[in-house]
PDB file of all heavy atoms in Angstrom:
ATOM      1  N   PRO A1026      61.245 118.028 110.853  1.00 40.00           N
ATOM      2  CA  PRO A1026      60.267 117.270 111.759  1.00 40.00           C
ATOM      3  C   PRO A1026      60.310 117.991 113.176  1.00 40.00           C
ATOM      4  O   PRO A1026      61.371 118.482 113.499  1.00 40.00           O
ATOM      5  CB  PRO A1026      60.734 115.929 111.805  1.00 40.00           C
ATOM      6  CG  PRO A1026      62.174 115.898 111.521  1.00 40.00           C
ATOM      7  CD  PRO A1026      62.327 117.046 110.541  1.00 40.00           C
ATOM      8  N   ALA A1027      59.257 117.960 113.774  1.00 35.00           N
ATOM      9  CA  ALA A1027      59.091 118.559 115.096  1.00 35.00           C
ATOM     10  C   ALA A1027      60.006 117.870 116.068  1.00 35.00           C
ATOM     11  O   ALA A1027      60.563 118.449 116.936  1.00 35.00           O
ATOM     12  CB  ALA A1027      57.704 118.579 115.593  1.00 35.00           C
ATOM     13  N   THR A1028      60.121 116.564 115.943  1.00 35.00           N
ATOM     14  CA  THR A1028      60.996 115.776 116.746  1.00 35.00           C
ATOM     15  C   THR A1028      61.833 114.944 115.919  1.00 35.00           C
ATOM     16  O   THR A1028      61.414 114.389 114.923  1.00 35.00           O
ATOM     17  CB  THR A1028      60.208 114.875 117.794  1.00 35.00           C
ATOM     18  OG1 THR A1028      59.417 114.110 116.983  1.00 35.00           O
ATOM     19  CG2 THR A1028      59.367 115.667 118.706  1.00 35.00           C
ATOM     20  N   VAL A1029      63.123 114.919 116.183  1.00 36.00           N
ATOM     21  CA  VAL A1029      64.012 114.139 115.402  1.00 36.00           C
ATOM     22  C   VAL A1029      64.368 112.866 116.155  1.00 36.00           C
ATOM     23  O   VAL A1029      63.606 111.903 116.535  1.00 36.00           O
ATOM     24  CB  VAL A1029      65.134 114.922 114.872  1.00 36.00           C
ATOM     25  CG1 VAL A1029      64.668 115.752 113.749  1.00 36.00           C
ATOM     26  CG2 VAL A1029      65.789 115.787 115.986  1.00 36.00           C
ATOM     27  N   GLN A1030      65.697 112.864 116.718  1.00 36.00           N
ATOM     28  CA  GLN A1030      66.237 111.746 117.443  1.00 36.00           C
ATOM     29  C   GLN A1030      65.749 111.682 118.912  1.00 36.00           C
ATOM     30  O   GLN A1030      65.991 110.739 119.528  1.00 36.00           O
ATOM     31  CB  GLN A1030      67.722 111.741 117.355  1.00 36.00           C
ATOM     32  CG  GLN A1030      68.333 112.676 118.295  1.00 36.00           C
ATOM     33  CD  GLN A1030      68.052 114.139 118.024  1.00 36.00           C
ATOM     34  OE1 GLN A1030      67.854 114.432 116.843  1.00 36.00           O
ATOM     35  NE2 GLN A1030      68.080 114.977 119.021  1.00 36.00           N
ATOM     36  N   ALA A1031      65.098 112.744 119.255  1.00 35.00           N
ATOM     37  CA  ALA A1031      64.894 112.846 120.686  1.00 35.00           C
ATOM     38  C   ALA A1031      63.831 111.871 121.266  1.00 35.00           C
ATOM     39  O   ALA A1031      62.965 111.516 120.547  1.00 35.00           O
ATOM     40  CB  ALA A1031      64.345 114.239 121.037  1.00 35.00           C
ATOM     41  N   ALA A1032      64.040 111.451 122.502  1.00 36.00           N
ATOM     42  CA  ALA A1032      63.182 110.599 123.157  1.00 36.00           C
ATOM     43  C   ALA A1032      61.912 111.365 123.736  1.00 36.00           C
ATOM     44  O   ALA A1032      61.607 111.400 124.827  1.00 36.00           O
ATOM     45  CB  ALA A1032      63.773 109.860 124.283  1.00 36.00           C
ATOM     46  N   THR A1033      61.207 111.998 122.765  1.00 33.00           N
ATOM     47  CA  THR A1033      60.110 112.930 123.184  1.00 33.00           C
ATOM     48  C   THR A1033      58.883 112.031 123.478  1.00 33.00           C
ATOM     49  O   THR A1033      58.728 110.968 122.939  1.00 33.00           O
ATOM     50  CB  THR A1033      59.820 113.940 122.291  1.00 33.00           C
ATOM     51  OG1 THR A1033      59.541 113.299 120.835  1.00 33.00           O
ATOM     52  CG2 THR A1033      60.948 114.893 122.008  1.00 33.00           C
ATOM     53  N   LEU A1034      57.992 112.569 124.294  1.00 30.00           N
ATOM     54  CA  LEU A1034      56.714 111.925 124.633  1.00 30.00           C
ATOM     55  C   LEU A1034      55.653 112.859 124.107  1.00 30.00           C
ATOM     56  O   LEU A1034      55.564 113.930 124.477  1.00 30.00           O
ATOM     57  CB  LEU A1034      56.596 111.705 126.159  1.00 30.00           C
ATOM     58  CG  LEU A1034      57.635 110.734 126.668  1.00 30.00           C
ATOM     59  CD1 LEU A1034      57.466 110.575 128.187  1.00 30.00           C
ATOM     60  CD2 LEU A1034      57.362 109.284 126.058  1.00 30.00           C
ATOM     61  N   SER A1035      54.737 112.383 123.284  1.00 33.00           N
ATOM     62  CA  SER A1035      53.673 113.144 122.785  1.00 33.00           C
ATOM     63  C   SER A1035      52.288 112.455 123.182  1.00 33.00           C
ATOM     64  O   SER A1035      52.248 111.191 123.144  1.00 33.00           O
ATOM     65  CB  SER A1035      53.715 113.298 121.281  1.00 33.00           C
ATOM     66  OG  SER A1035      53.774 112.036 120.694  1.00 33.00           O
ATOM     67  N   ARG A1036      51.343 113.269 123.546  1.00 29.00           N
ATOM     68  CA  ARG A1036      50.103 112.725 123.985  1.00 29.00           C
ATOM     69  C   ARG A1036      49.408 112.003 122.740  1.00 29.00           C
ATOM     70  O   ARG A1036      49.104 112.748 121.775  1.00 29.00           O
ATOM     71  CB  ARG A1036      49.216 113.763 124.582  1.00 29.00           C
ATOM     72  CG  ARG A1036      47.926 113.255 125.268  1.00 29.00           C
ATOM     73  CD  ARG A1036      47.231 114.297 125.886  1.00 29.00           C
ATOM     74  NE  ARG A1036      48.009 114.856 127.033  1.00 29.00           N
ATOM     75  CZ  ARG A1036      47.948 114.391 128.276  1.00 29.00           C
ATOM     76  NH1 ARG A1036      47.146 113.312 128.438  1.00 29.00           N
ATOM     77  NH2 ARG A1036      48.642 114.953 129.201  1.00 29.00           N
ATOM     78  N   GLY A1037      49.087 110.905 122.776  1.00 35.00           N
ATOM     79  CA  GLY A1037      48.414 110.182 121.663  1.00 35.00           C
ATOM     80  C   GLY A1037      46.987 109.847 122.123  1.00 35.00           C
ATOM     81  O   GLY A1037      46.586 109.941 123.156  1.00 35.00           O
ATOM     82  N   SER A1038      46.282 109.457 121.039  1.00 35.00           N
ATOM     83  CA  SER A1038      44.852 109.136 121.287  1.00 35.00           C
ATOM     84  C   SER A1038      44.742 107.877 122.184  1.00 35.00           C
ATOM     85  O   SER A1038      45.449 106.906 121.880  1.00 35.00           O
ATOM     86  CB  SER A1038      44.161 109.008 119.896  1.00 35.00           C
ATOM     87  OG  SER A1038      44.747 107.962 119.259  1.00 35.00           O
ATOM     88  N   GLY A1039      43.838 107.937 123.166  1.00 37.00           N
ATOM     89  CA  GLY A1039      43.670 106.748 123.929  1.00 37.00           C
ATOM     90  C   GLY A1039      44.650 106.418 124.940  1.00 37.00           C
ATOM     91  O   GLY A1039      44.575 105.509 125.656  1.00 37.00           O
ATOM     92  N   ARG A1040      45.636 107.399 125.081  1.00 33.00           N
ATOM     93  CA  ARG A1040      46.666 107.126 126.111  1.00 33.00           C
ATOM     94  C   ARG A1040      46.319 107.810 127.327  1.00 33.00           C
ATOM     95  O   ARG A1040      46.107 109.047 127.368  1.00 33.00           O
ATOM     96  CB  ARG A1040      48.017 107.631 125.597  1.00 33.00           C
ATOM     97  CG  ARG A1040      49.243 107.373 126.490  1.00 33.00           C
ATOM     98  CD  ARG A1040      50.483 107.661 125.732  1.00 33.00           C
ATOM     99  NE  ARG A1040      51.599 107.249 126.681  1.00 33.00           N
ATOM    100  CZ  ARG A1040      52.847 106.917 126.222  1.00 33.00           C
ATOM    101  NH1 ARG A1040      53.063 106.866 124.947  1.00 33.00           N
ATOM    102  NH2 ARG A1040      53.796 106.659 127.044  1.00 33.00           N
ATOM    103  N   PRO A1041      46.269 107.158 128.490  1.00 34.00           N
ATOM    104  CA  PRO A1041      45.818 107.733 129.726  1.00 34.00           C
ATOM    105  C   PRO A1041      46.761 108.774 130.232  1.00 34.00           C
ATOM    106  O   PRO A1041      48.028 108.704 130.046  1.00 34.00           O
ATOM    107  CB  PRO A1041      45.654 106.537 130.690  1.00 34.00           C
ATOM    108  CG  PRO A1041      46.593 105.500 130.219  1.00 34.00           C
ATOM    109  CD  PRO A1041      46.571 105.693 128.652  1.00 34.00           C
ATOM    110  N   ALA A1042      46.373 109.665 130.993  1.00 34.00           N
ATOM    111  CA  ALA A1042      47.161 110.716 131.565  1.00 34.00           C
ATOM    112  C   ALA A1042      48.155 110.239 132.570  1.00 34.00           C
ATOM    113  O   ALA A1042      49.151 110.724 132.826  1.00 34.00           O
ATOM    114  CB  ALA A1042      46.238 111.910 132.220  1.00 34.00           C
ATOM    115  N   SER A1043      47.867 109.046 133.097  1.00 33.00           N
ATOM    116  CA  SER A1043      48.796 108.409 134.090  1.00 33.00           C
ATOM    117  C   SER A1043      50.086 108.054 133.546  1.00 33.00           C
ATOM    118  O   SER A1043      51.081 107.857 134.309  1.00 33.00           O
ATOM    119  CB  SER A1043      48.133 107.193 134.841  1.00 33.00           C
ATOM    120  OG  SER A1043      47.901 106.241 133.819  1.00 33.00           O
ATOM    121  N   LEU A1044      50.204 107.961 132.185  1.00 31.00           N
ATOM    122  CA  LEU A1044      51.499 107.561 131.601  1.00 31.00           C
ATOM    123  C   LEU A1044      52.324 108.779 131.305  1.00 31.00           C
ATOM    124  O   LEU A1044      53.498 108.544 130.954  1.00 31.00           O
ATOM    125  CB  LEU A1044      51.176 106.808 130.266  1.00 31.00           C
ATOM    126  CG  LEU A1044      50.670 105.269 130.453  1.00 31.00           C
ATOM    127  CD1 LEU A1044      50.519 104.772 129.035  1.00 31.00           C
ATOM    128  CD2 LEU A1044      51.580 104.547 131.271  1.00 31.00           C
ATOM    129  N   TYR A1045      51.830 109.931 131.468  1.00 31.00           N
ATOM    130  CA  TYR A1045      52.640 111.108 131.191  1.00 31.00           C
ATOM    131  C   TYR A1045      53.261 111.619 132.552  1.00 31.00           C
ATOM    132  O   TYR A1045      52.666 111.615 133.539  1.00 31.00           O
ATOM    133  CB  TYR A1045      51.818 112.190 130.577  1.00 31.00           C
ATOM    134  CG  TYR A1045      51.290 111.733 129.194  1.00 31.00           C
ATOM    135  CD1 TYR A1045      50.036 111.172 129.072  1.00 31.00           C
ATOM    136  CD2 TYR A1045      52.122 111.890 128.120  1.00 31.00           C
ATOM    137  CE1 TYR A1045      49.650 110.792 127.846  1.00 31.00           C
ATOM    138  CE2 TYR A1045      51.805 111.440 126.861  1.00 31.00           C
ATOM    139  CZ  TYR A1045      50.499 110.945 126.680  1.00 31.00           C
ATOM    140  OH  TYR A1045      50.009 110.583 125.513  1.00 31.00           O
ATOM    141  N   LEU A1046      54.428 112.036 132.367  1.00 31.00           N
ATOM    142  CA  LEU A1046      55.218 112.487 133.529  1.00 31.00           C
ATOM    143  C   LEU A1046      54.637 113.890 133.881  1.00 31.00           C
ATOM    144  O   LEU A1046      54.816 114.887 133.081  1.00 31.00           O
ATOM    145  CB  LEU A1046      56.677 112.444 133.190  1.00 31.00           C
ATOM    146  CG  LEU A1046      57.541 112.733 134.416  1.00 31.00           C
ATOM    147  CD1 LEU A1046      57.377 111.610 135.374  1.00 31.00           C
ATOM    148  CD2 LEU A1046      59.054 112.740 134.021  1.00 31.00           C
ATOM    149  N   ALA A1047      54.064 114.060 134.981  1.00 33.00           N
ATOM    150  CA  ALA A1047      53.612 115.453 135.408  1.00 33.00           C
ATOM    151  C   ALA A1047      54.654 116.119 136.300  1.00 33.00           C
ATOM    152  O   ALA A1047      54.414 116.619 137.280  1.00 33.00           O
ATOM    153  CB  ALA A1047      52.356 115.200 136.208  1.00 33.00           C
ATOM    154  N   ARG A1048      55.853 116.014 135.703  1.00 30.00           N
ATOM    155  CA  ARG A1048      57.011 116.692 136.281  1.00 30.00           C
ATOM    156  C   ARG A1048      57.321 116.200 137.648  1.00 30.00           C
ATOM    157  O   ARG A1048      57.263 116.815 138.604  1.00 30.00           O
ATOM    158  CB  ARG A1048      56.817 118.225 136.254  1.00 30.00           C
ATOM    159  CG  ARG A1048      56.991 118.854 134.939  1.00 30.00           C
ATOM    160  CD  ARG A1048      58.351 118.725 134.328  1.00 30.00           C
ATOM    161  NE  ARG A1048      59.244 117.700 134.791  1.00 30.00           N
ATOM    162  CZ  ARG A1048      59.419 116.497 134.053  1.00 30.00           C
ATOM    163  NH1 ARG A1048      58.790 116.395 133.021  1.00 30.00           N
ATOM    164  NH2 ARG A1048      60.299 115.615 134.572  1.00 30.00           N
TER     165      ARG A1048
END
Side-chain angles (χ1 to χ4, degrees):
T1028 58
V1029 283
Q1030 78 296 329
T1033 56
L1034 293 173
S1035 58
R1036 185 176 300 271
S1038 58
R1040 184 163 184 161
S1043 62
L1044 284 183
Y1045 294 95
L1046 191 61
R1048 283 301 16 104

